[in-house]
Amino acid sequence: MTLSRASSDSARQATEEGNGKLPRHVGIIMDGNGRWAAQYGMPRPVGHERGVEALRRTVKAAQKTGLEYLTVYSFSTENWRRPFSEVSALFALLKTFMNQDLKRLKSEGVRISVFGTREGLPEDVDALLDRALEETRDNTRFNLGIAFNYGGREEITRAVRGLAEDARAGRIEPEAIDEAMISSRLDTSGFPDPDLIIRTGEERRLSNFLVWQSAYTELVFMDVLWPEFGEHSLNEALETFASRDRRFGGLKSGAA
Ligand code: FPP
């Protein structure tokens, strides 16, 4: 796949000319921090630190390009398997990010949403996530979803358990359960399904990210390691997205 280097403006033009081909919601699996650090002989947490810088650049670029929703996979339910020191470093980075960036994001009209379970999270992290939700809840210009302690199957399991409890208590009829009801019980309720999921860092899988929501999502896998991601890479992914023909199970446009 060869794609030309494009400025944000040309990516925007490319997608708008594609008639509605600018995605509303983009999800990103930010992979490759550890390998980036190893390349430079640095400890893995340094890769995560650079990953936060890449996240800042990407949120800025997403706002500039006109996306409405961006969801980033920051800590998965499987990441607990990593050494305690790395898990602690990731929690510390979330705190730094919130402490340094929340005020600015709030003033830019960004609404923060958090997806995932709070179970097992340290109290200060839990409180900080609540603060981010609380302080930005009235914003409407841009939506940033932070998937933290998130796993798609865990999210679906919690939703299904809630529905089962409601059915047992007689609050809903089992027959009333449909796809829309399940979607409305997920953490991402209020966000449209992602049009595009980008995964950096060479792997080609979803790793339990937005598994229900991504049934018809376009997937773009990029070799760039996350700390090197930025406006240019985002535009490259948007150009790839604009070139795709989304059929949602229907026929190719023009075919009859
Ligand atoms: C994957 O790289 C990345 C993560 C597990 C964490 C992503 C987190 C950030 C970018 C920073 C934290 C974000 C916030 C909002 C504070 P990896 O460690 O699996 O890399 P590797 O596959 O090269 O080892």
Side-chain angles (χ1 to χ4, degrees):
M1 176 172 52
T2 4
L3 285 158
S4 60
R5 187 178 182 90
S7 71
S8 160
D9 284 344
S10 67
R12 189 188 179 123
Q13 199 183 0
T15 47
E16 280 179 353
E17 277 172 1
N19 194 16
K21 290 236 176 146
L22 184 66
R24 289 185 74 201
H25 181 190
V26 174
I28 307 188
I29 302 173
M30 310 181 285
D31 197 13
N33 295 345
R35 273 163 288 157
W36 182 89
Q39 261 182 12
Y40 294 96
M42 292 193 276
R44 295 177 56 83
V46 177
H48 295 313
E49 275 171 37
R50 296 301 175 92
V52 174
E53 286 170 28
L55 175 61
R56 288 193 181 104
R57 290 195 295 274
T58 306
V59 172
K60 204 166 162 191
Q63 289 170 289
K64 185 171 158 192
T65 310
L67 303 185
E68 294 172 61
Y69 300 84
L70 178 72
T71 299
V72 291
Y73 205 7
S74 300
F75 186 79
S76 77
T77 44
E78 288 73 34
N79 286 153
W80 288 103
R81 296 182 193 143
R82 295 187 178 207
F84 179 72
S85 58
E86 186 168 340
V87 171
S88 305
L90 285 166
F91 289 163
L93 272 180
L94 176 77
K95 288 190 265 179
T96 310
F97 176 72
M98 288 300 180
N99 286 322
Q100 290 181 351
D101 293 53
L102 182 57
K103 202 169 156 202
R104 179 181 48 80
L105 292 170
K106 185 179 173 184
S107 72
E108 288 172 0
V110 175
R111 179 174 183 177
I112 294 176
S113 300
V114 180
F115 310 139
T117 172
R118 299 299 184 88
E119 218 165 277
L121 291 182
E123 257 175 46
D124 54 349
V125 170
D126 187 43
L128 207 49
L129 292 174
D130 276 343
R131 201 178 111 206
L133 296 179
E134 197 57 44
E135 289 200 16
T136 63
R137 69 171 350 121
D138 296 326
N139 282 347
T140 53
R141 213 172 296 153
F142 184 80
N143 288 278
L144 175 62
I146 299 181
F148 202 86
N149 204 16
Y150 176 87
R153 288 185 172 186
E154 191 281 332
E155 176 192 38
I156 294 168
T157 305
R158 255 187 299 121
V160 168
R161 197 178 298 133
L163 288 169
E165 279 163 8
D166 282 353
R168 185 171 58 187
R171 288 188 288 270
I172 54 168
E173 291 297 327
E175 300 74 35
I177 298 173
D178 58 10
E179 291 184 12
M181 191 182 283
I182 294 174
S183 293
S184 75
R185 297 295 187 109
L186 298 176
D187 299 343
T188 51
S189 155
F191 273 47
D193 285 344
D195 305 289
L196 166 66
I197 289 180
I198 301 167
R199 179 172 188 145
T200 64
E202 298 170 358
E203 310 287 1
R204 271 115 178 93
R205 55 175 170 264
L206 277 178
S207 299
N208 210 7
F209 183 54
L210 303 178
V211 289
W212 170 275
Q213 300 87 336
S214 61
Y216 286 101
T217 298
E218 293 296 324
L219 307 176
V220 172
F221 298 104
M222 303 177 85
D223 289 343
V224 61
L225 301 176
W226 176 251
E228 290 175 349
F229 196 90
E231 185 173 3
H232 168 59
S233 308
L234 177 67
N235 288 336
E236 206 176 289
L238 293 178
E239 283 185 51
T240 305
F241 174 83
S243 71
R244 300 265 177 94
D245 183 22
R246 301 183 81 195
R247 297 198 291 280
F248 301 96
L251 292 178
K252 204 170 168 55
S253 39

